[in-house]
C-alpha cells in the first residue's frame, strides 16, 4: 500500500466521483482509477461501486475508510514533526556536561541560541567525564561540554569555550582565606571535599600523587551545591573550578602550583552528521 493510494482513496470517498477526485489530487483520471484497482487487488475486494451517477463505497470500503484516514493523519503528523525539527520550531537539544566543567563559558552561546531559536528547548545533563564521553561516542548524545583532555584519539571534534584552573573553596574564617593563593603543600593534611569525577579534583589528586603525598578527600560528593553546603558548615575546603558560582560567605582561592589548565570545549563526534539543532548551536557557539 502506497501513501498516494491512501490519498486518492480518501479524495474519492469525499468526492464520490472519479473525475473530481482526480482533479483534487492533481492526477489524470486513468492514474487514479489504476491506483484504486491496485489497492482493491491488495485488499481483496472492491472498495467502490461505480454506477451511472451513483459511485458509492462498498461494505469493504466503509470498513477500510477509518483505518486509511488514520494512516493519512499519522503521516501528516510525522511530516509536521519533521518540519518542526528541520525549521527549529518545536524540538529539543540535549547537551551533556562533564561534572565540574565551568558552564559559565557556555552561557553566552545559550543566550544567543535562545534568542535566535526560541522554539528549541535545551536540556542540560551532567555526569562524570567518562560517562558523558561514552554517551557522545555511542550516539546517546549529539553534543557535550568536555575538557579538552578527555580524548578518544581522533573520535571527537572540539570547539574551545574558554579556560579554567582548579581553585580552593573556603569559608571566610578558614585559614586559607587570608592567603592570596593556595599551594599543594597547603592541602596536605587538610580536610578536603571534592566532587566525584570533577576535573579540578582529579588534577589536585594527580599533583599530590606526583609529590608522593598519600592524599584522599575527607568527603566525596556528587553535587556542586552539596559541596558548598559542606564547606559552609565547616567540614573543610572544597576543590572546584575557578568559574564556579559560590554562595555568599564563601571564597575561591587559586591553586598556584597545579600545572593544569582545563579548557571546556563544545564537543561533537567527528564524522557524525549534525542534526539541525546541533548545527545551529555549534554555529552560534563558535561565532561571537
Amino acid at each position: 500500500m502506497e501513501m498516494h493510494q491512501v490519498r486518492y482513496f480518501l479524495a474519492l470517498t469525499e468526492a464520490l466521483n472519479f473525475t473530481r477526485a482526480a482533479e483534487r489530487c492533481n492526477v489524470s483520471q486513468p492514474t487514479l482509477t489504476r491506483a484504486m484497482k491496485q489497492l482493491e487487488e491488495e485488499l481483496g475486494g472492491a472498495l467502490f461501486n461505480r454506477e451511472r451517477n451513483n459511485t458509492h463505497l462498498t461494505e469493504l470500503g466503509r470498513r477500510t475508510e477509518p483505518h486509511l484516514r488514520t494512516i493519512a493523519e499519522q503521516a501528516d503528523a510525522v511530516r509536521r514533526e519533521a518540519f518542526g525539527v528541520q525549521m527549529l520550531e518545536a524540538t529539543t537539544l540535549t547537551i551533556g556536561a562533564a561534572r565540574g566543567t565551568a558552564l559559565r563559558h557556555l552561557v553566552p552561546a545559550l543566550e544567543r541560541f535562545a534568542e535566535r531559536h526560541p522554539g528549541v528547548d535545551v536540556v542540560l545533563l551532567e555526569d562524570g567525564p567518562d560517562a558523558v564521553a561514552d554517551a557522545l561516542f555511542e550516539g546517546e548524545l549529539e553534543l557535550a561540554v568536555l575538557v579538552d583532555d578527555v580524548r578518544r584519539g581522533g573520535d571527537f571534534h572540539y570547539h574551545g569555550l574558554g579556560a579554567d584552573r582548579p581553585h580552593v573553596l573556603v569559608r571566610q574564617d578558614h585559614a586559607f582565606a587570608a592567603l592570596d593563593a593556595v599551594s599543594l603543600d597547603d592541602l596536605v593534611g587538610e580536610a578536603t571535599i571534592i566532587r566525584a569525577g570533577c576535573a579540578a579534583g582529579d588534577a589536585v589528586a594527580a599533583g599530590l600523587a606526583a609529590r608522593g603525598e598519600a592524599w584522599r578527600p575527607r568527603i566525596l560528593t556528587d553535587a556542586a551545591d552539596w559541596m558548598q553546603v559542606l564547606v559552609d558548615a565547616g567540614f573543610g575546603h572544597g576543590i572546584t573550578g575557578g568559574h564556579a558560582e559560590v554562595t555568599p560567605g564563601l571564597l575561591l582561592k587559586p591553586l598556584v602550583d597545579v600545572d593544569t589548565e582545563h579548557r571546556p570545549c563544545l564537543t561533537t563526534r567527528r564524522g557524525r552528521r549534525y542534526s539541525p539543532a546541533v548545527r545551529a548551536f555549534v554555529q552560534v557557539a563558535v561565532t561571537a
Side-chain angles (χ1 to χ4, degrees):
M1 185 183 301
E2 302 289 340
M3 282 306 304
H4 72 274
Q5 293 174 310
V6 174
R7 185 162 56 90
Y8 296 171
F9 172 84
L10 294 175
L12 192 51
T13 62
E14 295 167 2
L16 293 178
N17 180 284
F18 277 75
T19 300
R20 289 197 296 273
E23 291 174 351
R24 181 178 300 182
C25 296
N26 199 29
V27 296
S28 67
Q29 181 176 331
T31 297
L32 184 139
T33 301
R34 185 165 53 252
M36 288 301 93
K37 182 178 179 181
Q38 292 169 345
L39 183 60
E40 288 175 333
E41 290 174 353
E42 183 175 350
L43 297 179
L47 298 172
F48 295 91
N49 284 321
R50 190 176 183 183
E51 302 169 354
R52 183 186 298 272
N53 298 324
N54 185 24
T55 297
H56 57 275
L57 286 164
T58 65
E59 178 63 18
L60 177 60
R62 284 192 292 274
R63 289 178 175 269
T64 300
E65 180 184 6
H67 300 293
L68 296 190
R69 194 168 296 282
T70 298
I71 290 173
E73 290 170 353
Q74 291 174 340
D76 287 341
V78 170
R79 281 191 289 269
R80 289 193 299 272
E81 188 82 14
F83 181 80
V85 170
Q86 294 298 321
M87 301 305 294
L88 301 179
E89 292 179 350
T91 188
T92 299
L93 172 65
T94 301
I95 304 175
R99 188 175 295 120
T101 303
L103 287 181
R104 181 178 294 183
H105 298 296
L106 190 64
V107 170
L110 287 169
E111 290 175 339
R112 292 195 298 271
F113 185 77
E115 181 179 352
R116 298 182 191 181
H117 306 289
V120 181
D121 295 327
V122 177
V123 177
L124 292 174
L125 301 177
E126 186 186 52
D127 209 335
D130 289 339
V132 174
D134 288 343
L136 182 62
F137 182 82
E138 297 295 336
E140 298 170 18
L141 290 171
E142 289 187 90
L143 195 61
V145 180
L146 296 168
V147 295
D148 61 359
D149 58 354
V150 180
R151 295 184 180 273
R152 290 173 173 267
D155 290 331
F156 291 155
H157 185 72
Y158 297 89
H159 304 280
L161 297 171
D164 196 19
R165 295 183 62 85
H167 280 60
V168 178
L169 180 69
V170 297
R171 286 200 329 188
Q172 291 181 352
D173 60 354
H174 193 281
F176 291 168
L179 302 177
D180 293 330
V182 180
S183 70
L184 286 177
D185 290 336
D186 294 327
L187 300 183
V188 177
E190 291 288 330
T192 306
I193 303 164
I194 67 170
R195 297 181 66 199
C198 174
D202 292 344
V204 171
L208 287 168
R211 293 171 176 238
E213 298 290 350
W215 174 86
R216 65 187 180 88
R218 178 179 179 182
I219 298 178
L220 185 68
T221 181
D222 195 39
D225 55 344
W226 290 5
M227 174 189 287
Q228 300 204 32
V229 170
L230 292 168
V231 170
D232 192 45
F235 283 93
H237 65 269
I239 302 296
T240 186
H243 292 278
E245 296 283 351
V246 298
T247 57
L250 300 182
L251 302 172
L252 281 174
K253 297 291 179 175
L255 273 166
V256 293
D257 52 358
V258 178
D259 189 21
T260 301
E261 184 175 69
H262 296 288
R263 297 184 179 277
C265 295
L266 197 62
T267 310
T268 57
R269 179 77 156 86
R270 191 179 296 278
R272 181 178 293 157
R273 181 182 297 178
Y274 291 167
S275 69
V278 169
R279 183 185 307 110
F281 193 87
V282 170
Q283 193 170 43
V284 301
V286 300
T287 57

